[in-house]
Amino acid sequence: MGDFNLNLQTAEEHLDEDDAEGDVVLGVLDGSTPPEEWVQSVARGNVLFLAIEGDLNKLASGFARDIKDMDGQLMHFRKFLVVSPPGVDINTDSL
């Protein structure tokens, strides 16, 4: 293998300035959390990973349109709903 110069001390200088902010929030989508709380969490830049307990269409109807209107994404994956804020894409290439 050839040599290559890897300087970890200066690597931060080359990172994008638009670092993702927010957290991955784990929760249960069962109707007990008001839809506004999910919308506010996504608006703050959080990604939601919600275990679905019940009828997804009924449970997500209170916030799905708001998420889409703010250019967020929703993806049903197995028994979970993944919700991302604007600018954070849900990559499904490996599925």
Side-chain angles (χ1 to χ4, degrees):
M1 275 195 151
D3 288 336
F4 60 92
N5 293 325
L6 179 61
N7 185 348
L8 296 177
Q9 293 177 338
T10 60
E12 284 187 28
E13 294 174 13
H14 301 285
L15 295 175
D16 292 335
E17 294 296 321
D18 296 331
D19 291 336
E21 293 185 19
D23 297 315
V24 175
V25 176
L26 304 179
V28 178
L29 184 60
D30 61 1
S32 64
T33 302
E36 300 80 27
E37 281 189 37
W38 298 130
V39 173
Q40 290 170 0
S41 184
V42 172
R44 288 191 300 268
N46 295 322
V47 173
L48 307 178
F49 194 75
L50 306 174
I52 302 165
E53 291 188 1
D55 182 330
L56 174 59
N57 291 326
K58 181 179 175 186
L59 294 169
S61 66
F63 64 90
R65 177 59 48 207
D66 292 333
I67 299 297
K68 288 188 174 275
D69 287 348
M70 72 168 69
D71 292 327
Q73 294 184 340
L74 297 99
M75 174 67 60
H76 182 199
F77 177 67
R78 297 191 180 198
K79 295 183 180 184
F80 298 93
L81 180 64
V82 182
V83 184
S84 67
V88 178
D89 293 329
I90 300 173
N91 184 326
T92 60
D93 292 347
S94 297
L95 295 179

